[in-house]
Amino acid sequence: MSVVVGILFMAATYLILSRSLLRIIIGTGLLSHGAHLLILTMGGLKQGAAPLLSEKAGSYVDPLPQALILTAIVISFGVTSFFLVLAYRSYQELGTDDMHRLRGND
Amino acid sequence: MSLLHWAILSPFIFALFVPLFFKYLKNIHTGWFVLPLPILLFFYFISFIQETMHGETIKESVAWIRSLNISFTAHVDGLSLLFALLITGIGTLVILYSIFYLNKQKEQLGSFYLFLMLFMGAMLGVVLSDNIIVLYTFWELTSLSSFLLIGYWNNREKSRYGAQKSLLITVFGGLSMLGGFILLYLITGTFSIQEMMNQTNQILNHELFIPTMILILLGAFTKSAQFPFYIWLPDAMEAPTPISAYLHSATMVKAGLYLVARLSPIFAFSSTWFWIVSSVGIFTLLWGSINAVKQTDLKAILAFSTVSQLGMIMSLLGVGAASLHLESLSDGIYPVATTAAIFHLFNHATFKGSLFMVAGIVDHETGTRDIRRLGGLMTVMPITFTIAVIGSFSMAGLPPFNGFLSKEMFFTGMVELTHMDFSNVQTWGILFPIIAWIGSIFTFVYCMIFVFKTFTGPYKPDQLKKQAHEAPIGMLISPIILASFVVIVFFYPDLISHTILEPTVAAILPAQYIVEEIHIKPWHGFNIELFMTIGVVISGVLLYKLWPKWQAIYNIMPNKLTLNKGYDHALASLEKNSSNLTKLYMTGFIRDYLIYIFSFFILILGATMVIKDGFVFNTENITSIRLYEVILALVMVAGTITTVLSRSRLTAIIALSSVGYSLSLFFVLFRAPDLALTQLIIETVSVALFLLAFYHLPELTKHERKLHFRFVHILISFGVGIMVTLIAISANSQRVGQSISKYYEDFSYKLAGGKNMVNVILVDFRGFDTLFEITVLGIASLAIYSMIKLKVAKEGES
């Protein structure tokens, strides 16, 4: 699983380094996927029942990382949507999504 | 708070009221209100003479910062008292002089006297503090008030330049000194100078001794305008003349001498101290006197002569320290150099103060200070001329003025040095009297230039801005008082030798050397010093007469190689280079900054991993990998690669969503039903949003360009990916401690009454996270809403 996370991070980094704003946002999306998967992996991928007590299983998977990821998903969604609208607005105002042209006049 | 503390702080308190006097009592010159304070202080300090004469010291202490053991300790001994008397005494005379010098209608007198009071208080604080941190505080206050006073006419560019230069140099020294003080504290464990004196052996044998000494000496040398830090002093001459007389001849520039003298009992046992202090001093003496000869501005001559005389005193303090190494000292040979230093310090304050005032009078009454335009003022200004003669001849070291006495002692000290037998003084020491002698010849020459170019020769009324005439009596009082001191001290040296000089020397030299009585006599009989003085006079007169012939020699040294040019160049290139450096890495492209951040991330983590040998791989914790997982992982990787490689954005977005959906399938596989649900919904909404944004970005073709493959980017991405993988594997391979989730399993139902552990954690055990997560969503939606609305409002306006 670690390798998959690594590939996700790699791709995300590459996209974030690109010139187009939309690509950068896609990169952040990949990055948050990678991070969520990383949390899950680090929590331990041992076998067990879903964390529902009614299942009467002998062992459950760890519920804490799941709670953390749930929080993280919602937050990253909030930020991504804000970021998207920001990109949309900046395109409307400035007429470009090229990061190289989004430079202040100094 | 004792009376002594109030005395030190009184100028600061008084300074608060000065602007009020200036504002509400416009008819009377503000200086008159200020004048009584230094007079009072002067008489207050005179009252201490009785005690210091008998070897007593006065110590008063007030706690300042208790937790750091810093207390405001005032300590009066001979050395402090000499300085305190100089500060208040000359301060009184300077204020009196400034009343007649500065116009009450044209000048901002309120700020002038405020700065002056600030300076006086700071200077008193420097000389009377026993605690080094308090001393440093006052030290920087003198730098600051000097800065304000030099830049007093702040509409002139030269004033601002001079003020900035002096501040930069003296604060550089001050900060080095603070570093030295802190090291001193680390060595001794006390902030008190008096207590440090009991630990000299410990200080001398400490490994930090040399850095400590050099840092402190940097402070002293910058303040006292020693080579090569003297360059600020000639530029400080842009200050009003009373300020030049007070700060830049009599008091502030002597703060460095005070520091050297004050710390002599601690450092003087090291021969390094002797070598540094006396060679820097003697070289400054020579350099300053040679440079003074070529100046054409009266105040510039005086500035370089101040540099030179300060060098002389500094070298004498160094030689005085050398006398500690002599075994013969215990036989009763008197450390004449230290006495000479203190005596000359006093003399210099008197004659240099009067000479600056003379320069100010000449400037005030003729409109120029350029000696090429001046001349023949002897008959016009007889009193000023007399004072100038007295001051200059004393500076040149001629009888019957006090400069003669101290110069004789200076020669004695230098000649005696050659007889000393320690750390190679016997070989190189012969240079000291020779350099001193040459320096004295140049001193003689510029003293003669100062007097005779100004006051004799043809009178040139056409070149002067004003009709020259004698100064008002009020302006003459102060220089007359100082000049009369110059003469009186020659005839009655005992007047100050027992009362002031003896306790001062006792304070400088460590207690174990019993100070004999000082006998200053004008006449020693025919000895080597007398012949040296005669030689100085003869060669000086010859050189002065031939001055036009050898004047050209100064043109040999190119203007570019002077220290001033060096300073200016260094400052300019510092500014330019730092600006270039900033431009080099602050490109304004986000991509570049991201590259810095990512590379730093890789480097730091990679280095830590290598250094700490952090990478561990073991398979203990790893559960068996199932087929579903492999397939799903492959799907995910394929999605990722498609996202990166796709040429159109549509493909990229769809590939991204495929990654998101496979992530939710992962959540299903790893038994996380809530996560899978949330991820599915969120991914759907996100994709919709992406498409929405996509829809609004017109002209797809324009943006559907091929990705620029950049080697660096790929390298960095690989680095980040590999680093994360390695860290994940290592962290997984070396777990410490058990998970705390057992608690949730056991108590979710018992305590919270819920069976879905994830939900119980979210709303019950860790409900605060959820609260603020809701807040994040709320803020995001509000921000989105306002962004859209803002546009409408803007369009409505236009």
Side-chain angles (χ1 to χ4, degrees):
Chain A
M1 236 22 358
S2 302
V3 180
V4 179
V5 173
I7 290 170
L8 278 172
F9 268 78
M10 192 187 299
T13 311
Y14 185 78
L15 284 170
I16 286 174
L17 287 173
S18 67
R19 281 175 68 162
S20 144
L21 195 53
L22 203 61
R23 270 189 193 284
I24 293 179
I25 302 175
I26 293 172
T28 56
L30 276 184
L31 195 68
S32 48
H33 288 332
H36 300 157
L37 198 56
L38 184 65
I39 300 176
L40 194 72
T41 315
M42 293 294 99
L45 296 176
K46 61 171 190 267
Q47 303 296 324
L52 302 169
L53 287 174
S54 53
E55 287 200 356
K56 303 282 179 207
S59 73
Y60 300 99
V61 294
D62 201 334
L64 193 57
Q66 297 194 8
L68 296 182
I69 295 169
L70 200 61
T71 313
I73 288 176
V74 176
I75 289 175
S76 69
F77 167 69
V79 175
T80 307
S81 53
F82 174 74
F83 199 5
L84 263 173
V85 177
L86 192 68
Y88 158 66
R89 286 287 291 126
S90 73
Y91 180 76
Q92 274 196 329
E93 292 287 319
L94 303 169
T96 179
D97 76 331
D98 186 345
M99 289 310 288
H100 266 207
R101 289 166 62 189
L102 280 177
R103 241 192 106 182
N105 321 316
D106 51 347
Chain B
M1 292 284 278
S2 63
L3 191 59
L4 191 57
H5 287 106
W6 287 113
I8 296 171
L9 296 177
S10 59
F12 294 111
I13 301 163
F14 198 75
L16 293 174
F17 297 101
V18 168
L20 296 179
F21 290 133
F22 178 62
K23 202 173 173 195
Y24 294 109
L25 296 162
K26 278 213 176 292
N27 294 324
I28 307 167
H29 198 287
T30 317
W32 291 114
F33 298 109
V34 181
L35 192 59
L37 182 71
I39 298 179
L40 265 177
L41 287 173
F42 182 71
F43 284 108
Y44 173 67
F45 284 117
I46 283 210
S47 71
F48 284 109
I49 288 185
Q50 275 299 325
E51 280 149 310
T52 54
M53 259 178 82
H54 297 103
E56 294 164 25
T57 57
I58 297 101
K59 197 170 170 185
E60 302 281 354
S61 195
V62 171
W64 181 24
I65 306 172
R66 275 176 214 277
S67 55
L68 295 176
N69 238 339
I70 295 174
S71 55
F72 180 13
T73 310
H75 174 88
V76 183
D77 60 3
L79 182 64
S80 313
L81 194 63
L82 167 72
F83 271 89
L85 288 174
L86 280 180
I87 291 161
T88 49
I90 295 184
T92 310
L93 298 176
V94 160
I95 289 172
L96 183 66
Y97 176 78
S98 71
I99 291 172
F100 295 92
Y101 187 85
L102 292 171
N103 192 312
K104 73 170 176 234
Q105 265 96 40
K106 288 182 195 159
E107 305 285 358
Q108 282 294 319
L109 292 175
S111 38
F112 180 82
Y113 287 108
L114 194 153
F115 300 157
L116 197 63
M117 283 291 107
L118 206 65
F119 172 77
M120 189 182 281
M123 201 63 208
L124 280 177
V126 167
V127 299
L128 291 169
S129 296
D130 181 49
N131 188 298
I132 46 177
I133 298 298
V134 180
L135 194 152
Y136 171 75
T137 311
F138 285 119
W139 184 277
E140 292 296 24
L141 268 176
T142 64
S143 296
L144 206 65
S145 49
S146 164
F147 167 77
L148 292 169
L149 284 164
I150 296 169
Y152 175 63
W153 286 309
N154 52 21
N155 50 345
R156 299 184 190 172
E157 214 213 311
K158 275 184 140 183
S159 294
R160 298 197 300 268
Y161 172 76
Q164 186 209 33
K165 194 177 192 176
S166 76
L167 190 72
L168 280 178
I169 294 178
T170 52
V171 166
F172 160 73
L175 280 178
S176 316
M177 195 180 83
L178 179 63
F181 281 170
I182 291 170
L183 289 180
L184 209 53
Y185 172 72
L186 291 179
I187 298 172
T188 61
T190 172
F191 284 117
S192 160
I193 297 173
Q194 298 300 320
E195 283 169 30
M196 283 173 192
M197 286 180 195
N198 301 327
Q199 305 189 33
T200 41
N201 277 330
Q202 200 182 332
I203 296 170
L204 288 179
N205 296 325
H206 200 273
E207 54 189 352
L208 289 173
F209 169 69
I210 296 287
T212 311
M213 187 175 78
I214 289 172
L215 284 173
I216 291 178
L217 278 179
L218 265 179
F221 286 167
T222 50
K223 200 75 159 184
S224 279
Q226 299 295 298
F227 189 87
F229 306 110
Y230 71 87
I231 51 172
W232 65 268
L233 188 61
D235 283 305
M237 291 301 131
E238 292 303 321
T241 305
I243 297 309
S244 308
Y246 188 40
L247 272 68
H248 308 124
S249 71
T251 51
M252 187 178 97
V253 288
K254 296 209 165 105
L257 299 175
Y258 168 80
L259 191 74
V260 170
R262 174 55 82 202
L263 297 179
S264 278
I266 299 175
F267 290 103
F269 293 97
S270 147
S271 58
T272 330
W273 172 270
F274 152 72
W275 276 113
I276 296 179
V277 174
S278 42
S279 23
V280 168
I282 200 96
F283 189 70
T284 311
L285 161 69
L286 184 68
W287 185 269
S289 59
I290 289 177
N291 274 294
V293 175
K294 72 169 176 182
Q295 306 299 324
T296 55
D297 180 284
L298 285 180
K299 278 176 90 175
I301 297 179
L302 291 177
F304 278 102
S305 93
T306 303
V307 170
S308 155
Q309 305 275 315
L310 290 171
M312 171 175 159
I313 300 171
M314 192 65 91
S315 68
L316 280 170
L317 284 173
V319 174
S323 65
L324 292 182
H325 299 269
L326 278 181
E327 297 195 348
S328 54
L329 189 75
S330 46
D331 302 339
I333 290 187
Y334 193 71
V336 69
T338 307
T339 318
I342 295 307
F343 190 33
H344 195 71
L345 194 148
F346 176 83
N347 293 344
H348 178 252
T350 54
F351 66 68
K352 192 52 67 69
S354 69
L355 284 177
F356 265 109
M357 290 176 187
V358 164
I361 290 170
V362 169
D363 187 14
H364 205 267
E365 303 306 331
T366 62
T368 181
R369 295 195 310 250
D370 193 330
I371 55 169
R372 288 167 297 191
R373 294 211 245 153
L374 293 166
L377 295 176
M378 187 166 71
T379 47
V380 190
M381 306 166 79
I383 304 175
T384 318
F385 170 66
T386 316
I387 299 164
V389 167
I390 293 173
S392 301
F393 283 21
S394 175
M395 184 154 74
L398 297 176
F401 308 111
N402 59 8
F404 174 71
L405 301 178
S406 43
K407 182 143 290 185
E408 292 290 279
M409 290 170 82
F410 168 57
F411 284 149
T412 313
M414 290 298 159
V415 171
E416 240 177 42
L417 181 67
T418 54
H419 303 316
M420 292 181 183
D421 183 25
F422 76 102
S423 71
N424 297 332
V425 171
Q426 59 273 39
T427 48
W428 289 100
I430 191 72
L431 280 175
F432 280 90
I434 294 172
I435 297 176
W437 190 71
I438 299 171
S440 300
I441 293 172
F442 279 100
T443 307
F444 187 88
V445 173
Y446 70 70
C447 289
M448 296 306 115
I449 290 177
F450 184 86
V451 176
F452 293 114
K453 296 271 180 196
T454 315
F455 292 99
T456 60
Y459 178 51
K460 309 165 194 161
D462 50 316
Q463 291 201 21
L464 301 179
K465 286 178 193 153
K466 298 179 190 168
Q467 182 63 40
H469 57 79
E470 187 57 272
I473 183 70
M475 227 165 169
L476 288 167
I477 295 174
S478 304
I480 288 174
I481 292 174
L482 286 172
S484 51
F485 254 105
V486 171
V487 182
I488 290 170
V489 168
F490 177 81
F491 288 108
Y492 304 101
D494 285 347
L495 197 68
I496 61 163
S497 67
H498 292 305
T499 48
I500 297 173
L501 296 191
E502 273 176 21
T504 310
V505 174
I508 296 175
L509 291 177
Q512 57 263 46
Y513 300 101
I514 300 144
V515 174
E516 310 274 316
E517 284 196 3
I518 300 175
H519 291 293
I520 301 168
K521 307 186 289 268
W523 181 249
H524 297 271
F526 290 101
N527 51 12
I528 186 163
E529 295 89 352
L530 189 66
F531 290 117
M532 280 170 87
T533 305
I534 293 170
V536 166
V537 174
I538 294 170
S539 357
V541 170
L542 271 176
L543 276 177
Y544 175 68
K545 288 287 173 200
L546 301 173
W547 162 238
K549 299 220 168 96
W550 58 279
Q551 205 174 7
I553 208 165
Y554 280 111
N555 299 333
I556 294 173
M557 188 165 162
N559 201 23
K560 269 190 179 173
L561 285 180
T562 56
L563 287 168
N564 263 322
K565 290 279 177 219
Y567 163 85
D568 289 342
H569 184 73
L571 207 62
S573 65
L574 189 72
E575 269 177 29
K576 213 179 94 191
N577 288 338
S578 56
S579 141
N580 282 349
L581 187 70
T582 311
K583 270 188 196 145
L584 193 73
Y585 72 88
M586 293 301 250
T587 52
F589 295 122
I590 282 190
R591 178 146 56 163
D592 291 339
Y593 304 147
L594 285 170
I595 289 177
Y596 303 150
I597 294 170
F598 284 130
S599 339
F600 191 72
F601 166 82
I602 297 168
L603 279 178
I604 287 291
L605 290 180
T608 314
M609 212 172 241
V610 171
I611 292 167
K612 298 271 177 190
D613 203 15
F615 183 71
V616 182
F617 182 71
N618 66 36
T619 47
E620 258 174 45
N621 287 321
I622 291 181
T623 47
S624 56
I625 301 172
R626 289 169 298 174
L627 186 62
Y628 308 117
E629 291 166 23
V630 176
I631 295 170
L632 206 52
L634 285 178
V635 170
M636 203 169 196
V637 171
T640 313
I641 291 170
T642 322
T643 319
V644 176
L645 295 183
S646 68
R647 293 187 181 199
S648 92
R649 293 181 180 192
L650 200 57
T651 327
I653 288 172
I654 290 170
L656 174 69
S657 67
S658 80
V659 175
Y661 288 126
S662 36
L663 184 64
S664 63
L665 284 179
F666 262 123
F667 289 148
V668 173
L669 274 187
F670 291 126
R671 307 275 192 279
D674 302 290
L675 288 187
L677 277 174
T678 320
Q679 179 66 29
L680 264 174
I681 296 165
I682 295 266
E683 194 59 36
T684 314
V685 179
S686 303
V687 170
L689 263 175
F690 267 107
L691 289 174
L692 199 68
F694 199 38
Y695 177 75
H696 282 281
L697 299 177
E699 292 165 44
L700 272 173
T701 47
K702 182 179 139 199
H703 299 283
E704 278 188 41
R705 61 175 114 62
K706 197 174 161 239
L707 278 172
H708 296 279
F709 280 96
R710 283 224 196 156
F711 182 66
V712 181
H713 292 185
I714 294 175
L715 204 67
I716 287 175
S717 323
F718 264 99
V720 171
I722 290 168
M723 206 46 73
V724 171
T725 314
L726 290 182
I727 290 171
I729 292 173
S730 312
N732 219 3
S733 305
Q734 41 190 347
R735 283 175 191 281
V736 279
Q738 284 292 311
S739 166
I740 55 166
S741 298
K742 190 71 190 147
Y743 174 84
Y744 297 123
E745 278 174 35
D746 293 345
F747 290 101
S748 275
Y749 190 68
K750 282 183 198 160
L751 288 180
K755 290 186 173 174
N756 185 335
M757 281 190 262
V758 174
N759 289 2
V760 168
I761 289 173
L762 281 176
V763 297
D764 199 314
F765 288 120
R766 300 178 57 90
F768 272 119
D769 290 359
T770 314
L771 178 66
F772 290 107
E773 166 195 340
I774 292 166
T775 318
V776 167
L777 266 190
I779 290 173
S781 53
L782 274 177
I784 290 169
Y785 179 76
S786 54
M787 263 202 298
I788 308 265
K789 279 290 165 191
L790 192 73
K791 170 190 127 198
V792 175
K794 228 176 169 181
E795 277 173 0
E797 272 170 27
S798 63

